[in-house]
Amino acid sequence: MAVYTDLGAAAMERLLGEYDVGALRSAKGIAEGVSNSNWLIETAQGRFILTMYERRIELGDLPYFLDLLDHLSAHDCPVPRTIHTKRGDSFVMVDGKAAALIEYLPGISPDRPSAEQAHNVGGALARMHLAGRDFEKTRPNTLGPQSWIDMLEECGVGGLSEIDPALPKMLTVARQTAERWPPDLPQSVIHSDLFPDNVLMLGERVSGMIDFYFACNDAMAYDLAVTHAAWSFDASDTAFDPAIGGALVEGYEAHRPLANAERKALPLLAQGACLRFIASRALDWIETPPGALVMRKDPMQFVRRLKFYAERGEKAFTPSPI
Ligand SMILES: Nc1ncnc2c1ncn2[C@@H]1O[C@H](COP(=O)(O)OP(=O)(O)O)[C@@H](O)[C@H]1O
Ligand SMILES: N[C@@H](CCOP(=O)(O)O)C(=O)O
């Protein structure tokens, strides 16, 4: 579940009163998600998402994330707009916590994406990268190569091996990958966490890309590699689906063809993407006590994907027509 804060009816009405969205009709907590509290809000004017920022988010980064939604939406990307208060603010403070009202977008996150859906997600990602190039705010990637090493070191060899005996080795792999990390690939705004649960779809069409709270300025090809690693494997992780991976890359390149250096870098970028999720999941695993309300995600899932990318190299990214 992801409603960490109990906002009573009066507090909710007061909060919504800051906005020009009409009278509050209902507010329902949303079960999905792990980081923030989310409510589906209905007012006389329609539906909205209210997000209260609970963990991992620096207040100083909120203008980047929330203005980015407006920028991308104004550039015809399927991204929800930020609703501003009557005073023009993009977020409000409630008992010391920041909260923002976001446009509601229809759609369902796919659990078994089709190749056509993957193709369209690749296209939406490329269009987002193109639209992000003239976004005036910047934010560094705080989850870049050094952070994987830092997070794994924070877990400690003992902590890692308690999760799985194969995990401590990832510290060496992270150091080696960081040393080989390509420094100068073309950059833009990247989502950097475009998992299926952060995409809403209506049939084959992408109706929404959400959860931009890891967005930053970094290599566009890295974002494609993250998305590839997040979408192209079946839930049991036993199989890579070349039709999904191929369609994703092909859909991306229909809008933004990759430069040779980007294409060559993809296998390493995908290994880095795996390390980023291995490290954050391992740290979350250690910091989240068993029995907590939040589901712990398995770091070993991305150890297996990392091995796949190391073995398969460029062949993992060969486009296959849908
Ligand atoms: N703009 C939106 N339109 C429709 N549903 C949304 C929107 N934003 C979030 N949601 C819903 O809320 C859930 C959790 O949102 P998310 O931003 O992914 O939370 P978290 O950061 O906690 O993972 C999503 O799975 C989706 O169902
Ligand atoms: N996609 C990440 C988890 C990020 O959490 P979120 O709740 O902010 O989407 C992973 O799978 O490890």
Side-chain angles (χ1 to χ4, degrees), residues 138-257:
T138 58
R139 176 176 182 270
N141 186 357
T142 51
L143 291 175
Q146 186 55 47
S147 79
W148 319 328
I149 300 169
D150 294 344
M151 284 189 278
L152 291 169
E153 280 176 348
E154 197 177 332
C155 295
V157 171
L160 292 172
S161 54
E162 250 176 57
I163 303 173
D164 191 286
L167 265 181
K169 200 175 132 216
M170 289 302 123
L171 200 40
T172 314
V173 179
R175 291 189 183 116
Q176 288 165 346
T177 307
E179 268 173 30
R180 297 167 57 211
W181 202 241
D184 48 13
L185 295 173
Q187 297 208 350
S188 181
V189 170
I190 67 165
H191 184 286
S192 78
D193 188 32
L194 198 63
F195 279 57
D197 62 356
N198 286 331
V199 176
L200 301 170
M201 307 207 72
L202 284 173
E204 307 303 323
R205 181 171 72 82
V206 177
S207 54
M209 293 189 283
I210 58 171
D211 205 356
F212 277 77
Y213 303 113
F214 292 114
C216 58
N217 295 77
D218 205 342
M220 292 178 270
Y222 171 67
D223 212 12
L224 177 59
V226 168
T227 312
H228 194 274
W231 283 74
S232 312
F233 296 81
D234 72 6
S236 66
D237 252 334
T238 44
F240 168 70
D241 188 337
I244 300 290
L248 187 79
V249 175
E250 195 186 60
Y252 186 91
E253 291 209 271
H255 295 270
R256 181 181 170 267

Side-chain angles (χ1 to χ4, degrees), residues 160 162-164 167 195 235-237 274 277-285 295-305:
L160 292 172
E162 250 176 57
I163 303 173
D164 191 286
L167 265 181
F195 279 57
S236 66
D237 252 334
C274 294
F277 294 106
I278 292 166
S280 62
R281 286 180 173 200
L283 195 56
D284 280 352
W285 191 280
M295 278 281 281
R296 301 192 292 187
K297 294 189 178 180
D298 182 7
M300 294 310 291
Q301 189 179 46
F302 277 91
V303 174
R304 293 187 286 274
R305 295 180 191 192

Side-chain angles (χ1 to χ4, degrees), residues 5-268:
T5 299
D6 188 14
L7 265 189
M12 188 65 87
E13 285 213 1
R14 243 187 340 270
L15 195 164
L16 268 295
E18 305 248 6
Y19 295 86
D20 192 11
V21 290
L24 176 62
R25 286 189 177 156
S26 71
K28 298 196 176 87
I30 296 177
E32 290 97 339
V34 293
S35 299
N36 302 310
S37 296
N38 290 296
W39 292 266
L40 174 61
I41 302 290
E42 297 213 32
T43 75
Q45 285 182 23
R47 289 180 160 182
F48 303 90
I49 297 290
L50 176 69
T51 298
M52 181 167 275
Y53 301 95
E54 304 279 358
R55 52 202 283 256
R56 286 200 183 121
I57 286 182
E58 297 286 335
L59 206 54
D61 284 336
L62 269 186
Y64 178 90
F65 300 138
L66 295 172
D67 290 1
L68 177 61
L69 298 184
D70 286 337
H71 176 91
L72 294 175
S73 165
H75 285 71
D76 288 330
C77 292
V79 169
R81 282 177 307 123
T82 302
I83 311 298
H84 290 249
T85 66
K86 292 171 188 161
R87 290 199 317 228
D89 299 326
S90 58
F91 64 93
V92 295
M93 297 301 294
V94 184
D95 294 336
K97 289 183 187 173
L101 197 64
I102 311 283
E103 181 186 8
Y104 170 86
L105 293 178
I108 292 174
S109 298
D111 48 4
R112 292 170 65 89
S114 66
E116 197 176 343
Q117 287 179 322
H119 186 274
N120 292 339
V121 168
L125 182 69
R127 291 201 292 120
M128 191 214 100
H129 289 163
L130 295 174
R133 286 197 293 203
D134 60 352
F135 181 52
E136 73 286 358
K137 290 191 165 65
T138 58
R139 176 176 182 270
N141 186 357
T142 51
L143 291 175
Q146 186 55 47
S147 79
W148 319 328
I149 300 169
D150 294 344
M151 284 189 278
L152 291 169
E153 280 176 348
E154 197 177 332
C155 295
V157 171
L160 292 172
S161 54
E162 250 176 57
I163 303 173
D164 191 286
L167 265 181
K169 200 175 132 216
M170 289 302 123
L171 200 40
T172 314
V173 179
R175 291 189 183 116
Q176 288 165 346
T177 307
E179 268 173 30
R180 297 167 57 211
W181 202 241
D184 48 13
L185 295 173
Q187 297 208 350
S188 181
V189 170
I190 67 165
H191 184 286
S192 78
D193 188 32
L194 198 63
F195 279 57
D197 62 356
N198 286 331
V199 176
L200 301 170
M201 307 207 72
L202 284 173
E204 307 303 323
R205 181 171 72 82
V206 177
S207 54
M209 293 189 283
I210 58 171
D211 205 356
F212 277 77
Y213 303 113
F214 292 114
C216 58
N217 295 77
D218 205 342
M220 292 178 270
Y222 171 67
D223 212 12
L224 177 59
V226 168
T227 312
H228 194 274
W231 283 74
S232 312
F233 296 81
D234 72 6
S236 66
D237 252 334
T238 44
F240 168 70
D241 188 337
I244 300 290
L248 187 79
V249 175
E250 195 186 60
Y252 186 91
E253 291 209 271
H255 295 270
R256 181 181 170 267
L258 294 166
N260 276 341
E262 291 180 294
R263 197 185 311 279
K264 276 201 156 17
L266 279 175
L268 183 67

